[in-house]
Each structure stands twice: as C-alpha cells, then as structure tokens.
Amino acid sequence: MISLIKQLFGSKTDLEMILKNGAVILDVRTKNEYDAGHIQHSRHVPLDIIRQQLNQLKKLNKPIITVCRSGSRSAIAKSLLQNAGIEAYNGGSWITFKNKYGIK
C-alpha cells in the first residue's frame, strides 16, 4: 500500500543529504545554456548524448542528481540513468536547486 501511495503522490527524497554524501550534479542542458550559467563543479552531459555517456557515468559509482532549465529534461535523464542501473534523482531546475541548497 505504501509503494502505491508513493507511486501516486511521490515521496520526499532528501536531496541535501544525498548531495552531502557525494552525489554528482549532472546538468543536461545544451552547451549554450550551460555556458551561460551553471552550478560550480557540476558535470555537463547534454540530454541528447546522455545514452552515449552511460558507461562513463556508471564508472563514477555515485548517485547522480540531474538538473536542467525547468525540470523536464532532467526528469527524462533521471529515467534513462535509472534504467541503466544508476542511482539517480531529478533535481529539477538548476537555478532553483542551486539557490535551495546554497551552492555556487
């Protein structure tokens, strides 16, 4: 029953704790978007080439928090990563994520 409720309404994931424990922030926006501003020390892999980078991302052996402009592309990226067996979370908008967790 609890898993059904989580599927219907989602569950709160403690992204701050995941981040503090060494998660990688993966920005999946285009190069131009990333170059215009991004979270310091984030990795940049545009969504359109993420499938080609799955093996490299697996080798990181860390949880990945995906971000983009609005949260749509990061949700797709999260699903692709999870389907490849990578622990992944959708961080949503990079700017909102950055401000919420006080990162540069």
Side-chain angles (χ1 to χ4, degrees):
M1 180 66 165
I2 290 176
S3 66
L4 176 62
I5 292 170
K6 284 182 181 180
Q7 286 178 354
L8 291 174
F9 300 105
S11 63
K12 284 270 186 195
T13 301
D14 189 351
L15 292 182
E16 185 172 20
M17 184 59 69
I18 293 165
L19 190 59
K20 284 180 181 178
N21 287 331
V24 172
I25 300 171
L26 184 69
D27 194 317
V28 298
R29 296 175 298 148
T30 65
K31 181 180 180 339
N32 287 340
E33 288 174 305
Y34 186 81
D35 289 346
H38 59 270
I39 296 172
Q40 189 175 12
H41 305 296
S42 63
R43 289 185 173 256
H44 180 235
V45 178
L47 182 60
D48 61 348
I49 65 164
I50 200 165
R51 284 185 176 94
Q52 299 155 348
Q53 299 295 317
L54 289 175
N55 286 332
Q56 294 299 324
L57 295 169
K58 274 185 185 183
K59 289 178 185 176
L60 297 174
N61 202 26
K62 293 183 178 186
I64 295 176
I65 301 171
T66 59
V67 296
C68 67
R69 185 178 52 81
S70 67
S72 298
R73 287 175 283 179
S74 58
I76 295 167
K78 179 202 77 147
S79 293
L80 291 170
L81 294 169
Q82 285 180 334
N83 288 339
I86 299 169
E87 182 182 352
Y89 305 89
N90 182 5
S93 159
W94 77 274
I95 195 77
T96 302
F97 186 85
K98 175 183 162 186
N99 292 335
K100 182 175 183 177
Y101 297 107
I103 6 186
K104 294 182 179 191

